[in-house]
Every structure is written in structure tokens, then in C-alpha cells.
């Protein structure tokens, strides 16, 4: 199967998790885009969705799913989103698409986080994929220097502004053996809005498209 076929397969497998759930959280990215297309047939059951990005909001509206403000939703049962890397403990790197801050808020606010990924995303140790960090623009160089002290190689994602009006630096060369500690350390650097490590709140379930099947972690 091609990577896109695997993405479609995991997107389809995620549908069973949103059955009979009126309000769902929806992530961002090409895997989730397949999920949103498939949701179109499910919309009778879905009252609305909390969206993690402007792009996802547009797509949800296009298939007729009302988009709800998280502030108006007190009970979010499920969040469906992709990932850039997944380790065996279901800790993730996210933010390749730049939507990490809203994604992290919704993941944390949800009872269950179902991650959908193709097998190319599975790694033993996180860090081969550059770790995205959303920063307040004036803190970009400062945060980059702090990341050098932690052994990383920061690269500014030029000409990219997040949905929140901030910038992103991508940190290469990290071998993330203790994702929870690293997430806490980076969270403590002034100017960091969000680090794309989803370890303190990882996924509850990962659906991996592998070969011809979907494996559940
Ligand atoms: C966006 C993300 C995405 O979930 C991640 O980049 C995976 O995207 P794709 O499904 O296109 O491979 O974190 O900020």
C-alpha cells in the first residue's frame, strides 16, 4: 500500500471511535484530512467538532460539520489526530503542520486521544523528526540558544506564522530518551508557547497503518 492508502485506512479505522459521540476534537494534517472527508457520511451523528487549526475548521465546514469553540464545550470525549513520530509508549512528536499549540490544548482537554498514523511514523526513540517549538517571535533566538545548550540544532521555519501569530523553530539532532523530562524542561523556557512533544499527555490509542492492516497500540 502507498503511504496515502495507509493514511486512508487508519482514518477509516478511527470512525468506530466517534460513533455515537456528539462532539469530537479534530486534529490537523493530511491523515486527519482523510478522516474529515469520511466524517461527511457520519455527520448525522455529530453535533459539532472542536477544531485544532484554521485549515481544519475550513475543511469541517466544507463537509457540513459545525465547528464549536472549546470554551463552550465542557465535556470532550475524544480527540482524533495524526503525528510526525510515535514511540512504543505512545509518546509523540507533533507540529510538522504547525498546529501544535491548539492540538496540545485539545488533546489535554479530551478524555481519550486516538492517534492515527502510518507505519513510517513509528520509531523506537523520538527525535529523528525535527522537534517543532512554537515561540513568541521576540524570543525566537533566545529559545534557539537554549536549545543548543540542550544539544539541539535549531532551524527557524522561515516565512511561517502559526494560527496564533507566533513563529516556529524546528530542533534537529535530538535523541529523546526521556520525553517527559524534556517536555517539562522546554516548557520552562520563557518565550516557548508550546513544544511539539506530546509525552506528558501522549496518545491513549494509536492506530498504525502497517502493511495491509491497521494495528492498534
Ligand atoms: C500538525 C501535526 C500533524 O498531526 C502531523 O504533522 C502529521 O501530519 P500528517 O498526517 O500530514 O502526516 O502535528 O501540526
Amino acid at each position: 500500500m502507498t503511504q496515502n492508502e495507509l493514511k486512508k485506512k487508519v482514518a477509516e479505522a478511527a470512525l468506530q471511535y466517534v460513533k455515537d459521540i456528539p462532539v469530537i476534537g479534530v486534529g490537523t494534517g493530511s491523515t486527519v484530512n482523510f478522516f474529515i472527508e469520511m466524517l461527511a457520511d457520519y455527520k448525522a451523528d455529530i453535533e459539532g467538532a472542536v477544531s485544532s487549526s484554521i485549515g481544519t475548521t475550513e475543511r469541517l465546514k466544507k463537509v457540513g460539520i459545525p465547528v464549536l469553540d472549546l470554551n463552550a464545550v465542557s465535556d470532550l470525549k475524544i480527540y482524533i489526530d495524526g503525528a510526525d513520530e510515535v514511540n512504543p509508549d505512545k509518546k509523540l512528536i507533533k507540529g510538522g503542520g504547525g498546529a501544535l499549540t491548539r492540538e496540545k490544548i485539545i488533546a489535554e482537554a479530551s478524555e481519550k486521544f486516538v492517534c492515527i498514523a502510518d507505519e513510517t511514523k513509528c520509531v523506537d526513540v523520538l527525535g529523528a523528526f525535527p522537534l517543532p517549538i512554537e515561540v513568541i517571535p521576540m524570543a525566537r533566538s533566545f529559545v534557539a540558544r537554549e536549545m543548543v545548550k540542550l544539544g539541539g540544532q535549531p532551524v527557524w521555519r522561515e516565512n511561517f506564522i502559526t494560527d496564533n501569530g507566533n513563529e516556529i523553530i524546528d530542533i534537529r539532532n535530538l535523541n529523546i530518551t526521556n520525553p517527559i523530562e524534556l517536555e517539562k524542561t522546554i516548557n520552562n523556557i520563557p518565550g516557548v508557547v508550546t513544544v511539539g512533544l506530546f509525552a506528558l499527555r501522549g496518545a491513549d490509542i494509536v492506530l498504525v497503518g502497517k502493511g495491509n492492516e491497521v494495528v492498534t497500540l
Side-chain angles (χ1 to χ4, degrees):
M1 277 195 182
T2 64
Q3 193 178 12
N4 268 348
E5 284 168 338
L6 288 174
K7 287 181 180 189
K8 272 188 202 163
K9 207 153 169 83
V10 285
E12 195 180 3
L15 288 173
Q16 62 180 301
Y17 290 90
V18 300
K19 206 168 183 301
D20 302 325
I21 296 188
V23 179
I24 64 173
V26 182
T28 296
S30 56
T31 315
V32 164
N33 289 347
F34 287 123
F35 174 73
I36 295 172
E37 278 170 29
M38 292 169 192
L39 267 187
D41 294 331
Y42 263 64
K43 67 181 171 220
D45 295 337
I46 292 174
E47 282 169 22
V50 176
S51 165
S52 61
S53 64
I54 294 171
T56 288
T57 295
E58 283 166 2
R59 283 171 187 272
L60 286 165
K61 286 184 175 165
K62 211 166 155 195
V63 298
I65 295 173
V67 175
L68 307 174
D69 186 334
L70 181 63
N71 291 306
V73 177
S74 55
D75 182 24
L76 193 54
K77 294 267 181 256
I78 195 148
Y79 178 51
I80 309 286
D81 197 0
D84 299 301
E85 271 188 358
V86 180
N87 82 2
D89 296 329
K90 293 177 270 198
K91 314 291 187 206
L92 318 169
I93 286 184
K94 291 186 45 54
L100 60 163
T101 296
R102 297 186 191 191
E103 291 175 338
K104 196 175 263 197
I105 294 167
I106 303 174
E108 192 69 48
S110 302
E111 234 171 75
K112 191 182 278 179
F113 175 7
V114 176
C115 177
I116 48 178
D118 62 84
E119 60 186 333
T120 65
K121 310 289 182 64
C122 294
V123 296
D124 287 331
V125 178
L126 298 171
F129 188 91
L131 178 65
I133 304 180
E134 179 167 350
V135 294
I136 299 288
M138 70 166 283
R140 187 186 70 237
S141 299
F142 167 69
V143 174
R145 287 194 294 274
E146 293 299 297
M147 291 311 301
V148 170
K149 289 183 198 162
L150 293 173
Q153 215 176 56
V155 177
W156 176 27
R157 206 182 287 186
E158 273 187 89
N159 303 315
F160 185 90
I161 299 292
T162 68
D163 288 352
N164 314 304
N166 297 314
E167 297 184 10
I168 288 192
I169 48 178
D170 293 297
I171 316 299
R172 291 162 203 255
N173 207 28
L174 290 171
N175 186 35
I176 307 173
T177 49
N178 192 338
I180 289 184
E181 278 313 306
L182 187 64
E183 184 175 357
K184 287 183 191 165
T185 301
I186 299 175
N187 278 343
N188 269 335
I189 302 173
V192 168
V193 177
T194 305
V195 55
L197 255 181
F198 285 53
L200 290 160
R201 203 287 181 250
D204 297 302
I205 292 170
V206 184
L207 302 175
V208 183
K210 198 172 181 181
N212 275 332
E213 51 182 15
V214 174
V215 176
T216 305
L217 303 184

